[in-house]
Every structure is written in C-alpha cells, then in structure tokens.
Amino acid sequence: YQRRVREIYQKKMSWLGLKSLNSKKEVDEAILQTQDKVLILRFGREQDQSSLLIDDILSKTERALKKMGVIYLVEVDNVPIYIQYFDIKLTPALVFFFNSQHLKCDYGYN
C-alpha cells in the first residue's frame, strides 16, 4: 500500500514539475551542485495536507523562479539527519541555500 501511495505521489509531483530527493546523498549532491541559483528544499511528508498545499504553491511558482532557483521535495523520514541538523521542529519546512551556503530566514514568528 505504501509503495502504491508513493508511486501516485511521484506521478503527481512529476506532473507538477517538482523533483524529489530521496536520500542524504541526493540532498548533499543537490546542495553542492546547485551554483548561482537559490536551492529550495521542502522538508515534509507526502501524506500531509500542509505539505501538499506547499507543494502546490511551489509548483505554481517554479516556472517564475526557473532562472533564479531550483526546488526539490525532501521526505523528512528519509533524511532524519537533516531534520536534526537544520533544527526542523514543524513540517513542512523550507530550507534555502545559495552556492552551497545555508541561508537562514527569519519570518517574524515564535
């Protein structure tokens, strides 16, 4: 069942034009290889309604950001080391990089 849900989700995300990163190695490569563009990583769960809402918003903005940024979806259960490293308490969470450097954003809430 989980495999089928994942396949459906992957098809939906490919239809939306968003790519997924499924391992720590893939996330590391994306961080290191994305140069001169903002890298946007969405950490969340594919079954979570909030993640799906953010995914929809990101898919609608991807075309406008194409020359400036790259968007990837990351399943939090696949990369728990990054959840600890970036101190992600709530999902979905967006994490930004530029030329392999983590950009910290303050959104003004506690």
Side-chain angles (χ1 to χ4, degrees):
Y1 176 75
Q2 289 289 347
R3 180 183 228 173
R4 182 69 181 140
V5 170
R6 185 171 293 139
E7 288 172 5
I8 292 169
Y9 179 77
Q10 293 285 345
K11 287 179 185 176
K12 179 183 177 206
M13 289 305 105
S14 65
W15 178 73
L16 290 173
L18 300 173
K19 300 174 207 93
S20 295
L21 302 175
N22 298 307
S23 68
K24 181 185 180 306
K25 181 180 179 181
E26 290 179 356
V27 174
D28 290 340
E29 289 173 0
I31 292 169
L32 294 174
Q33 293 175 0
T34 303
Q35 296 297 312
D36 299 325
K37 289 186 177 184
V38 175
L39 173 64
I40 303 163
L41 300 177
R42 190 278 288 147
F43 287 88
R45 290 188 172 86
E46 61 190 36
Q47 309 90 345
D48 183 26
Q49 289 288 68
S50 299
S51 293
L52 292 174
L53 179 62
I54 294 291
D55 295 349
D56 185 50
I57 293 168
L58 290 172
S59 71
K60 291 175 182 176
T61 60
E62 185 184 34
R63 177 175 267 169
L65 298 175
K66 192 173 186 178
K67 292 182 181 180
M68 298 176 278
V70 180
I71 302 169
Y72 289 107
L73 308 178
V74 182
E75 189 71 18
V76 293
D77 298 324
N78 294 343
V79 288
I81 188 76
Y82 278 122
I83 302 309
Q84 293 174 342
Y85 184 76
F86 296 125
D87 195 30
I88 296 173
K89 302 264 192 266
L90 300 171
T91 60
L94 297 176
V95 179
F96 301 89
F97 290 86
F98 184 75
N99 290 339
S100 303
Q101 297 295 314
H102 180 216
L103 302 174
K104 295 184 181 184
C105 301
D106 182 7
Y107 297 108
Y109 65 91
N110 292 333

